[in-house]
């Protein structure tokens, strides 16, 4: 085989894996992380504090210690890639932060976004895609970025992924009157490309304020970009989904339980994963029941 052929074959194999949802590089030799964790000295996770923030926004997994926020963790401390929640200082958008913090209501936040010029995606998009559903809902769903249908309608999740999302929510008794839906990106990336780190960073202060103002009981984070950004985690969605985390930001009165799950667009490509999402939705429904107990 010629060099060019093997490169093309390797690229084709990589593209196939990405299409199949493999979004993490795993070592060739298996590593016993439990043994490593047992040997490592206890360390507190580094705070995800952009330079101009007053307080950290971080998430703690709730798998085994439901009440504790920001508890020390042994396994994945500082060595991993920088999570999106910690944009490099050059990307921290001070005007975005100030504008977002100044909003006292969801309407003011929408107006602030209309006035905001710090995200270049706005120049190519047709509409701002802010939110859909009921802002007083107990459940807030945060997706990734608007597509062509959403860009046209100015509403999140109205295309084929949104229709699947509606069909997934119905069996647990939820619909757009009982959920509130948004994305981590407010304008459609051209050609539905992945948003850049800078675009995510520009929108993030508004997303955080959005969650503070909506103040839901639980967050459902659909897809890796949403989960990794809001939870400041570097694992892929395959590892994050189905686990409860606590989401916190500067001006929140209490942390909010957050559950990552697969994105409906991924389920359209790989319907076998619907079984996992069904489990996540049952967990969501159960959590709503628990939180409703006096
Ligand atoms: N995918 C998303 O993540 N959000 C939308 O609004 C539409 C598709």
């Amino acid at each position: 085989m010629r060099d060019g052929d093997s490169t093309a074959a390797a690229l084709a194999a990589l593209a196939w894996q990405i299409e199949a949802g493999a979004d993490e590089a795993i070592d060739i030799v298996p590593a016993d992380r439990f043994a490593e964790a047992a040997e490592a000295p206890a360390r507190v996770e580094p705070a995800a504090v952009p330079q101009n923030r007053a307080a950290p926004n971080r998430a703690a997994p709730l798998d085994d210690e439901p009440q504790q926020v920001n508890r020390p963790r042994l396994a994945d401390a500082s060595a991993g890639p920088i999570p999106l929640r910690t944009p490099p200082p050059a990307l921290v958008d001070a005007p975005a932060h100030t504008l977002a913090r100044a909003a006292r209501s969801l309407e003011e936040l929408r107006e602030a976004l209309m006035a905001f010029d710090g995200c270049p995606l706005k120049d190519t998009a047709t509409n701002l895609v802010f939110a859909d559903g009921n802002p007083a809902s107990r459940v807030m769903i945060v997706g990734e970025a608007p597509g062509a249908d959403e860009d046209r309608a100015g509403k999140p999740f109205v295309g084929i992924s949104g229709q699947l999302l509606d069909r997934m929510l119905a069996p647990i008794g939820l619909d757009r009157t009982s959920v509130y839906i948004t994305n981590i990106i407010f304008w459609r990336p051209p050609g539905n490309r992945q948003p850049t780190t800078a675009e995510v960073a520009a929108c993030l202060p508004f997303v955080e304020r959005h969650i503070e103002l909506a103040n839901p009981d639980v967050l459902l984070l659909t897809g890796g970009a949403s989960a990794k950004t809001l939870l400041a985690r570097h694992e892929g969605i395959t590892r994050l989904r189905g686990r409860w985390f606590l989401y916190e930001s500067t001006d929140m009165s209490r942390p909010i339980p957050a559950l990552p799950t697969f994105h409906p667009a991924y389920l359209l490509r790989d319907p076998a994963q619907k079984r996992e999402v069904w489990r996540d939705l049952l967990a969501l429904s159960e959590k709503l029941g628990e939180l409703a107990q006096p």
Side-chain angles (χ1 to χ4, degrees):
M1 193 186 273
R2 284 179 298 128
D3 271 5
D5 293 345
S6 64
T7 306
L11 284 173
L14 186 61
W16 181 84
Q17 288 180 349
I18 293 168
E19 179 66 19
D23 58 358
E24 287 181 77
I26 310 282
D27 290 348
I28 294 173
V29 179
D32 184 347
R33 302 287 178 211
F34 292 106
E36 284 172 20
E39 282 161 20
R43 269 196 295 179
V44 180
E45 276 189 83
V49 191
Q51 302 291 299
N52 64 346
R53 298 265 175 94
N57 299 302
R58 298 197 303 111
L62 288 182
D63 299 335
D64 44 3
E65 292 182 31
Q67 300 308 321
Q68 210 175 330
V69 188
N70 295 347
R71 69 187 163 87
R73 299 178 73 253
L74 295 179
D76 58 352
S78 54
I82 300 171
L84 286 172
R85 194 69 187 276
T86 316
L91 296 179
V92 173
D93 195 318
H97 198 254
T98 310
L99 262 177
R101 295 276 117 211
R104 296 281 149 231
S105 65
L106 293 170
E107 199 38 52
E108 281 183 21
L109 189 67
R110 180 198 279 274
E111 281 164 16
L113 273 164
M114 300 283 279
F116 177 58
D117 282 328
C119 180
L121 292 175
K122 187 176 186 177
D123 299 337
T124 48
T126 309
N127 281 304
L128 166 72
V129 177
F130 183 65
D132 193 25
N134 179 355
S137 302
R138 298 180 64 205
V139 180
M140 183 166 182
I141 300 174
V142 187
E144 297 186 352
D149 294 320
E150 289 76 19
D151 183 44
R152 259 190 302 274
K155 280 185 187 176
F157 281 104
V158 295
I160 184 164
S161 295
Q163 288 155 27
L164 177 56
L165 179 66
D166 289 341
R167 291 202 299 280
M168 285 156 48
L169 295 173
I172 56 165
L174 297 176
D175 61 21
R176 297 211 182 203
T177 66
S178 49
V179 297
Y180 186 54
I181 307 179
T182 189
N183 287 307
I184 56 161
I185 293 285
F186 295 99
W187 296 273
R188 180 195 182 202
N192 296 345
R193 65 158 169 76
Q194 289 276 353
T196 63
T197 307
E199 289 157 358
V200 172
C203 291
L204 186 55
F206 296 95
V207 180
E208 291 175 347
R209 191 71 186 134
H210 205 171
I211 296 170
E212 284 169 14
L213 291 168
N215 192 24
D217 284 354
V218 296
L219 287 167
L220 182 68
L221 309 177
T222 58
S226 166
K228 290 197 267 188
T229 301
L230 291 176
L231 302 178
R233 308 285 300 197
H234 59 261
E235 302 100 312
I237 187 64
T238 310
R239 299 230 175 132
L240 293 175
R241 66 140 285 279
R243 298 165 61 192
W244 284 101
F245 293 82
L246 284 176
Y247 168 85
E248 276 200 296
S249 69
T250 321
D251 289 342
M252 278 172 43
S253 54
R254 64 188 163 87
I256 299 178
L259 182 65
T261 194
F262 288 134
H263 193 284
Y266 174 58
L267 299 183
L268 289 168
R269 295 198 302 274
D270 186 355
Q273 302 300 331
K274 286 181 184 171
R275 190 176 46 183
E276 307 302 332
V277 173
W278 176 236
R279 284 201 189 115
D280 299 344
L281 292 171
L282 289 178
L284 178 81
S285 180
E286 201 176 315
K287 177 70 77 183
L288 288 172
E290 279 167 27
L291 294 174
Q293 305 289 327

